[in-house]
Amino acid sequence: VYDVTKFLEDHPGGDEVLLSATGKDASDDFEDVGHSSSARAMMDEFYVGDVDTSTIPTKTKYTPPKQPHYEQDKTSDFVIKLLQFLVPLLILGLAFGVRFYTKSPA
């Protein structure tokens, strides 16, 4: 474990690189970049200790909560589709009727 908080502003790659590795094993990320021997020597001053692997919680598989069985509505699909067609026509007819009867003669 390394605490590089003091090095955030001085890191040549920017602090975003260090912050993206927070809370995880960044060994592979560090090795992939190909740091110089002086960078490796600097790591000694940031060393805090080793992780006790026995304290790491095991990952549990997510199980969704049980949901009650959905009882489908008793209304038939035909009635719903018919209403979806007729209600807008009724509103449109009502709008034309109001317009026609409230129109003042020219």
Side-chain angles (χ1 to χ4, degrees):
V1 176
Y2 295 89
D3 182 3
V4 293
T5 307
K6 297 175 187 173
F7 190 61
L8 285 175
E9 292 182 14
D10 299 329
H11 187 260
D15 61 349
E16 299 89 16
V17 177
L18 297 176
L19 292 173
S20 69
T22 302
K24 69 174 189 171
D25 183 2
S27 302
D28 291 336
D29 296 338
F30 183 83
E31 296 298 329
D32 289 344
V33 173
H35 284 90
S36 64
S37 56
S38 62
R40 293 177 189 280
M42 286 177 65
M43 288 180 60
D44 291 339
E45 67 182 271
F46 301 116
Y47 180 75
V48 176
D50 293 324
V51 173
D52 182 7
T53 56
S54 66
T55 62
I56 298 174
T58 58
K59 290 187 178 181
T60 56
K61 184 180 176 188
Y62 174 74
T63 54
K66 301 234 185 239
Q67 301 212 356
H69 180 68
Y70 175 70
E71 305 250 350
Q72 191 172 7
D73 215 359
K74 303 292 186 229
T75 309
S76 70
D77 288 337
F78 175 74
V79 173
I80 293 173
K81 288 183 182 183
L82 186 64
L83 286 175
Q84 286 176 339
F85 179 73
L86 291 179
V87 169
L89 285 178
L90 181 66
I91 293 172
L92 187 62
L94 185 62
F96 277 117
V98 168
R99 170 89 172 147
F100 179 76
Y101 288 112
T102 59
K103 186 176 180 183
S104 60

